[in-house]
Amino acid sequence: MGKLLIGALAGAMAMSSVGAAWAQDNSVTLQLKWVTQGQFAGYYVAQAKGFYEEEGLQVEIKPGGPDIAPEQVIAGGGADVITTWMAAGLAARERGVPLVNIAQPFKQSGLLLTCLKEAGVESTEDFKGKTLGVWFFGNEYPFYAWMAKLGYSTDGGPDGVEVLKQAFNVDPLIQKQAACISTMTYNEYGQVLNAGITPEELTVFNYRDEGVGMLEDGLYVLEDSLEDPAFVEKMTKFVRASMKGWEYSRENPEEAAQIVVDNDMTGAMTVEDQLYQVTEANKLAEGSTGVLDEADYQQTVETLLSAVSEENPAITKAPEGAFTHVVTDGL
């Protein structure tokens, strides 16, 4: 009887191991760059509408936050794939985290510098002597590239600019601590308008229009993972379902906004605010099949290399192997 029980337990454990292996082989952990919001609508929609399930995947979406660096999470084994901006991804790669871009859901750039006209800013020439709010944690690279292109010192003074390390809010502009602040089309710019400041009172610079646009939310994995054909196939399924989620979000923004709110554990979001975010984020994903455009990649690299300095330590040389089409070739 004891032998039979042991045999049964062994068989059950073996079956359990097989089941666990199957689940593990089909599981994907996605680490987001920031908190649950419309910026990531495509992924939440893909999960809620069963697009991942249709591909045989079990996907866990982990929200980010001010104390979470996706590059560190994946390096520590806490995620299979992350969303991050290309400048941050390339910087991490040069510093020893072998990230590879496998897909590029965001085709357009949403980064803005939003300024008060009453602070005397109507053109880039008016930046001199002004305080400009800048996000850090990898978001500062486009700003320093832009200032280098303009020939402005970032150490202050009448012929340079003073850099204010901006938190992820719009307070410095509202409280007039800075003439300009960093905003995203899908988030903080709307917050400025909600604060009662009209578009006519603002001067807005889009980084892409200024020739220093860089690719933003892309999907990145560790290079070694791509040596496994099963992992590549799994990522192809993941990207395919994710892009289907973005397509559905564009066609059904109200439903997508509700899905985002349903996934917000803080309870602080409103459908109205998320509808704004989803609508604007959809514009950035529009026209993308998920396949990285090599010309866009090259523009990002060249912009970063044009401004190598102590203030802009993103990359110091052209990266090799920083992207691949092996995943999207299977879409």
Short mmCIF file of all heavy atoms in Angstrom, two decimals, residues 54-99:
data_model
loop_
_atom_site.label_atom_id
_atom_site.label_comp_id
_atom_site.label_asym_id
_atom_site.label_seq_id
_atom_site.Cartn_x
_atom_site.Cartn_y
_atom_site.Cartn_z
N GLU A 54 -5.97 33.50 -26.86
CA GLU A 54 -6.13 32.90 -28.18
C GLU A 54 -4.81 32.41 -28.74
O GLU A 54 -4.77 31.47 -29.55
CB GLU A 54 -6.75 33.92 -29.15
CG GLU A 54 -8.22 34.23 -28.88
CD GLU A 54 -8.73 35.38 -29.74
OE1 GLU A 54 -7.96 35.87 -30.59
OE2 GLU A 54 -9.88 35.79 -29.55
N GLU A 55 -3.72 33.04 -28.31
CA GLU A 55 -2.38 32.63 -28.76
C GLU A 55 -1.79 31.56 -27.84
O GLU A 55 -0.64 31.15 -28.01
CB GLU A 55 -1.44 33.85 -28.79
CG GLU A 55 -1.79 34.88 -29.86
CD GLU A 55 -1.39 34.46 -31.26
OE1 GLU A 55 -0.77 33.38 -31.42
OE2 GLU A 55 -1.68 35.21 -32.21
N GLY A 56 -2.59 31.14 -26.84
CA GLY A 56 -2.11 30.11 -25.91
C GLY A 56 -1.19 30.65 -24.83
O GLY A 56 -0.42 29.90 -24.24
N LEU A 57 -1.26 31.96 -24.59
CA LEU A 57 -0.36 32.60 -23.62
C LEU A 57 -1.07 32.93 -22.32
O LEU A 57 -2.26 33.26 -22.31
CB LEU A 57 0.23 33.88 -24.21
CG LEU A 57 1.02 33.75 -25.51
CD1 LEU A 57 1.47 35.13 -25.98
CD2 LEU A 57 2.23 32.84 -25.32
N GLN A 58 -0.32 32.87 -21.25
CA GLN A 58 -0.76 33.35 -19.95
C GLN A 58 0.10 34.56 -19.62
O GLN A 58 1.29 34.41 -19.33
CB GLN A 58 -0.60 32.27 -18.88
CG GLN A 58 -1.43 31.02 -19.14
CD GLN A 58 -1.15 29.92 -18.14
OE1 GLN A 58 -0.16 29.96 -17.43
NE2 GLN A 58 -2.04 28.95 -18.08
N VAL A 59 -0.47 35.75 -19.69
CA VAL A 59 0.30 36.99 -19.56
C VAL A 59 0.01 37.68 -18.24
O VAL A 59 -1.15 37.92 -17.89
CB VAL A 59 0.01 37.94 -20.74
CG1 VAL A 59 0.76 39.26 -20.57
CG2 VAL A 59 0.40 37.27 -22.06
N GLU A 60 1.08 38.02 -17.54
CA GLU A 60 0.99 38.85 -16.34
C GLU A 60 1.53 40.23 -16.68
O GLU A 60 2.66 40.35 -17.18
CB GLU A 60 1.79 38.26 -15.19
CG GLU A 60 1.77 39.13 -13.93
CD GLU A 60 2.73 38.67 -12.86
OE1 GLU A 60 3.49 37.71 -13.11
OE2 GLU A 60 2.74 39.28 -11.77
N ILE A 61 0.74 41.26 -16.43
CA ILE A 61 1.16 42.64 -16.70
C ILE A 61 1.49 43.30 -15.38
O ILE A 61 0.62 43.47 -14.52
CB ILE A 61 0.06 43.43 -17.44
CG1 ILE A 61 -0.30 42.73 -18.76
CG2 ILE A 61 0.54 44.85 -17.71
CD1 ILE A 61 -1.45 43.39 -19.50
N LYS A 62 2.76 43.68 -15.22
CA LYS A 62 3.20 44.30 -13.97
C LYS A 62 3.34 45.80 -14.17
O LYS A 62 4.15 46.24 -14.99
CB LYS A 62 4.53 43.70 -13.53
CG LYS A 62 4.44 42.21 -13.21
CD LYS A 62 5.81 41.58 -13.03
CE LYS A 62 6.52 42.07 -11.79
NZ LYS A 62 7.78 41.29 -11.56
N PRO A 63 2.56 46.62 -13.45
CA PRO A 63 2.70 48.06 -13.58
C PRO A 63 4.03 48.54 -13.02
O PRO A 63 4.63 47.89 -12.16
CB PRO A 63 1.52 48.62 -12.77
CG PRO A 63 1.19 47.53 -11.80
CD PRO A 63 1.51 46.24 -12.49
N GLY A 64 4.48 49.69 -13.54
CA GLY A 64 5.71 50.29 -13.04
C GLY A 64 5.40 51.38 -12.04
O GLY A 64 4.30 51.44 -11.48
N GLY A 65 6.36 52.25 -11.84
CA GLY A 65 6.19 53.35 -10.89
C GLY A 65 7.50 54.09 -10.72
O GLY A 65 8.52 53.72 -11.34
N PRO A 66 7.52 55.11 -9.88
CA PRO A 66 8.72 55.95 -9.74
C PRO A 66 9.93 55.20 -9.19
O PRO A 66 11.06 55.62 -9.39
CB PRO A 66 8.27 57.06 -8.79
CG PRO A 66 7.07 56.51 -8.08
CD PRO A 66 6.41 55.61 -9.08
N ASP A 67 9.69 54.10 -8.49
CA ASP A 67 10.80 53.35 -7.91
C ASP A 67 11.08 52.05 -8.67
O ASP A 67 11.81 51.20 -8.16
CB ASP A 67 10.48 53.01 -6.44
CG ASP A 67 10.27 54.25 -5.60
OD1 ASP A 67 11.02 55.23 -5.79
OD2 ASP A 67 9.36 54.25 -4.75
N ILE A 68 10.52 51.92 -9.85
CA ILE A 68 10.69 50.69 -10.64
C ILE A 68 11.37 51.02 -11.97
O ILE A 68 10.84 51.80 -12.76
CB ILE A 68 9.34 50.00 -10.89
CG1 ILE A 68 8.70 49.59 -9.56
CG2 ILE A 68 9.51 48.79 -11.80
CD1 ILE A 68 7.30 49.04 -9.70
N ALA A 69 12.53 50.43 -12.18
CA ALA A 69 13.24 50.59 -13.46
C ALA A 69 13.08 49.28 -14.23
O ALA A 69 13.61 48.25 -13.81
CB ALA A 69 14.71 50.89 -13.23
N PRO A 70 12.33 49.28 -15.33
CA PRO A 70 12.11 48.04 -16.08
C PRO A 70 13.39 47.33 -16.46
O PRO A 70 13.46 46.09 -16.43
CB PRO A 70 11.34 48.51 -17.32
CG PRO A 70 10.71 49.79 -16.92
CD PRO A 70 11.66 50.43 -15.95
N GLU A 71 14.43 48.12 -16.79
CA GLU A 71 15.70 47.52 -17.20
C GLU A 71 16.31 46.69 -16.06
O GLU A 71 16.90 45.64 -16.30
CB GLU A 71 16.68 48.63 -17.61
CG GLU A 71 16.22 49.45 -18.81
CD GLU A 71 15.23 50.56 -18.46
OE1 GLU A 71 14.96 50.78 -17.24
OE2 GLU A 71 14.72 51.22 -19.38
N GLN A 72 16.15 47.17 -14.83
CA GLN A 72 16.67 46.43 -13.68
C GLN A 72 15.80 45.21 -13.38
O GLN A 72 16.31 44.16 -12.98
CB GLN A 72 16.74 47.34 -12.46
CG GLN A 72 17.76 48.45 -12.58
CD GLN A 72 17.76 49.38 -11.38
OE1 GLN A 72 17.10 49.12 -10.38
NE2 GLN A 72 18.49 50.48 -11.49
N VAL A 73 14.50 45.36 -13.58
CA VAL A 73 13.58 44.25 -13.32
C VAL A 73 13.90 43.06 -14.21
O VAL A 73 14.02 41.92 -13.75
CB VAL A 73 12.11 44.69 -13.51
CG1 VAL A 73 11.18 43.48 -13.42
CG2 VAL A 73 11.72 45.72 -12.47
N ILE A 74 14.06 43.31 -15.51
CA ILE A 74 14.32 42.21 -16.42
C ILE A 74 15.72 41.64 -16.22
O ILE A 74 15.93 40.43 -16.32
CB ILE A 74 14.10 42.63 -17.90
CG1 ILE A 74 14.00 41.39 -18.79
CG2 ILE A 74 15.18 43.58 -18.38
CD1 ILE A 74 13.54 41.69 -20.22
N ALA A 75 16.67 42.49 -15.87
CA ALA A 75 18.03 42.02 -15.60
C ALA A 75 18.05 41.09 -14.39
O ALA A 75 18.85 40.15 -14.33
CB ALA A 75 18.97 43.19 -15.37
N GLY A 76 17.15 41.34 -13.44
CA GLY A 76 17.07 40.52 -12.25
C GLY A 76 16.16 39.31 -12.39
O GLY A 76 15.93 38.60 -11.40
N GLY A 77 15.62 39.08 -13.58
CA GLY A 77 14.78 37.92 -13.83
C GLY A 77 13.32 38.11 -13.46
O GLY A 77 12.56 37.14 -13.43
N GLY A 78 12.91 39.36 -13.22
CA GLY A 78 11.54 39.62 -12.82
C GLY A 78 10.56 39.82 -13.95
O GLY A 78 9.37 40.05 -13.71
N ALA A 79 11.03 39.73 -15.19
CA ALA A 79 10.15 39.90 -16.35
C ALA A 79 10.77 39.22 -17.55
O ALA A 79 11.99 39.04 -17.62
CB ALA A 79 9.91 41.38 -16.65
N ASP A 80 9.92 38.84 -18.50
CA ASP A 80 10.38 38.28 -19.77
C ASP A 80 10.59 39.36 -20.81
O ASP A 80 11.43 39.25 -21.70
CB ASP A 80 9.36 37.27 -20.31
CG ASP A 80 9.13 36.12 -19.37
OD1 ASP A 80 10.09 35.39 -19.10
OD2 ASP A 80 7.99 35.95 -18.89
N VAL A 81 9.78 40.41 -20.71
CA VAL A 81 9.77 41.48 -21.70
C VAL A 81 9.37 42.76 -20.99
O VAL A 81 8.59 42.73 -20.02
CB VAL A 81 8.81 41.14 -22.88
CG1 VAL A 81 7.40 40.88 -22.39
CG2 VAL A 81 8.82 42.23 -23.96
N ILE A 82 9.90 43.88 -21.43
CA ILE A 82 9.59 45.18 -20.81
C ILE A 82 9.23 46.20 -21.87
O ILE A 82 9.57 46.05 -23.06
CB ILE A 82 10.78 45.73 -19.99
CG1 ILE A 82 11.97 46.06 -20.91
CG2 ILE A 82 11.17 44.75 -18.89
CD1 ILE A 82 13.11 46.79 -20.22
N THR A 83 8.52 47.24 -21.45
CA THR A 83 8.36 48.43 -22.29
C THR A 83 9.30 49.49 -21.74
O THR A 83 9.40 49.69 -20.54
CB THR A 83 6.92 48.98 -22.25
OG1 THR A 83 6.62 49.45 -20.94
CG2 THR A 83 5.91 47.93 -22.66
N THR A 84 10.02 50.14 -22.64
CA THR A 84 10.86 51.27 -22.25
C THR A 84 11.14 52.12 -23.47
O THR A 84 10.83 51.72 -24.60
CB THR A 84 12.17 50.81 -21.58
OG1 THR A 84 12.78 51.94 -20.92
CG2 THR A 84 13.16 50.24 -22.60
N TRP A 85 11.68 53.30 -23.24
CA TRP A 85 12.08 54.17 -24.35
C TRP A 85 13.41 53.68 -24.90
O TRP A 85 14.24 53.13 -24.18
CB TRP A 85 12.22 55.61 -23.87
CG TRP A 85 10.90 56.26 -23.56
CD1 TRP A 85 9.67 55.68 -23.53
CD2 TRP A 85 10.71 57.65 -23.24
NE1 TRP A 85 8.71 56.61 -23.22
CE2 TRP A 85 9.32 57.83 -23.03
CE3 TRP A 85 11.56 58.74 -23.11
CZ2 TRP A 85 8.78 59.06 -22.70
CZ3 TRP A 85 11.03 59.97 -22.78
CH2 TRP A 85 9.64 60.13 -22.59
N MET A 86 13.63 53.91 -26.20
CA MET A 86 14.83 53.39 -26.82
C MET A 86 16.09 54.00 -26.22
O MET A 86 17.10 53.30 -26.04
CB MET A 86 14.80 53.61 -28.33
CG MET A 86 16.04 53.07 -29.02
SD MET A 86 15.85 52.87 -30.79
CE MET A 86 14.89 51.36 -30.86
N ALA A 87 16.09 55.29 -25.90
CA ALA A 87 17.28 55.91 -25.31
C ALA A 87 17.67 55.19 -24.03
O ALA A 87 18.85 54.90 -23.80
CB ALA A 87 17.03 57.39 -25.05
N ALA A 88 16.69 54.90 -23.19
CA ALA A 88 16.97 54.19 -21.94
C ALA A 88 17.42 52.77 -22.21
O ALA A 88 18.31 52.24 -21.54
CB ALA A 88 15.72 54.20 -21.06
N GLY A 89 16.82 52.12 -23.21
CA GLY A 89 17.19 50.76 -23.55
C GLY A 89 18.62 50.68 -24.07
O GLY A 89 19.38 49.78 -23.69
N LEU A 90 18.99 51.63 -24.94
CA LEU A 90 20.35 51.64 -25.48
C LEU A 90 21.37 51.98 -24.40
O LEU A 90 22.48 51.42 -24.37
CB LEU A 90 20.45 52.65 -26.63
CG LEU A 90 19.63 52.33 -27.88
CD1 LEU A 90 19.80 53.43 -28.92
CD2 LEU A 90 20.04 50.98 -28.47
N ALA A 91 21.00 52.89 -23.50
CA ALA A 91 21.90 53.26 -22.40
C ALA A 91 22.14 52.05 -21.50
O ALA A 91 23.27 51.78 -21.09
CB ALA A 91 21.30 54.41 -21.59
N ALA A 92 21.08 51.31 -21.21
CA ALA A 92 21.22 50.12 -20.37
C ALA A 92 22.10 49.08 -21.05
O ALA A 92 22.93 48.43 -20.41
CB ALA A 92 19.83 49.54 -20.06
N ARG A 93 21.93 48.94 -22.36
CA ARG A 93 22.73 47.96 -23.11
C ARG A 93 24.21 48.31 -23.02
O ARG A 93 25.05 47.43 -22.79
CB ARG A 93 22.27 47.91 -24.57
CG ARG A 93 23.01 46.86 -25.39
CD ARG A 93 22.47 46.76 -26.81
NE ARG A 93 23.22 45.78 -27.57
CZ ARG A 93 23.00 44.47 -27.55
NH1 ARG A 93 22.03 43.98 -26.81
NH2 ARG A 93 23.75 43.64 -28.27
N GLU A 94 24.54 49.58 -23.19
CA GLU A 94 25.95 49.98 -23.14
C GLU A 94 26.53 49.78 -21.74
O GLU A 94 27.73 49.59 -21.59
CB GLU A 94 26.10 51.45 -23.56
CG GLU A 94 27.56 51.87 -23.66
CD GLU A 94 27.77 53.14 -24.46
OE1 GLU A 94 27.35 53.20 -25.64
OE2 GLU A 94 28.37 54.07 -23.90
N ARG A 95 25.66 49.79 -20.73
CA ARG A 95 26.11 49.63 -19.35
C ARG A 95 26.03 48.18 -18.86
O ARG A 95 26.18 47.93 -17.67
CB ARG A 95 25.30 50.55 -18.44
CG ARG A 95 25.71 52.01 -18.58
CD ARG A 95 24.59 52.95 -18.18
NE ARG A 95 24.97 54.34 -18.35
CZ ARG A 95 25.08 54.96 -19.52
NH1 ARG A 95 24.84 54.30 -20.64
NH2 ARG A 95 25.43 56.22 -19.60
N GLY A 96 25.78 47.26 -19.78
CA GLY A 96 25.91 45.86 -19.41
C GLY A 96 24.64 45.06 -19.30
O GLY A 96 24.68 43.87 -18.99
N VAL A 97 23.47 45.70 -19.52
CA VAL A 97 22.21 44.94 -19.54
C VAL A 97 21.87 44.71 -21.02
O VAL A 97 21.45 45.65 -21.70
CB VAL A 97 21.07 45.71 -18.84
CG1 VAL A 97 19.78 44.89 -18.88
CG2 VAL A 97 21.45 46.03 -17.40
N PRO A 98 22.05 43.50 -21.53
CA PRO A 98 21.96 43.26 -22.99
C PRO A 98 20.54 43.26 -23.53
O PRO A 98 20.02 42.24 -23.98
CB PRO A 98 22.63 41.89 -23.14
CG PRO A 98 22.35 41.20 -21.84
CD PRO A 98 22.40 42.27 -20.79
N LEU A 99 19.91 44.43 -23.51
CA LEU A 99 18.55 44.55 -24.01
C LEU A 99 18.53 44.60 -25.53
O LEU A 99 19.41 45.19 -26.17
CB LEU A 99 17.89 45.81 -23.46
CG LEU A 99 17.59 45.85 -21.96
CD1 LEU A 99 16.99 47.20 -21.59
CD2 LEU A 99 16.65 44.73 -21.57
#
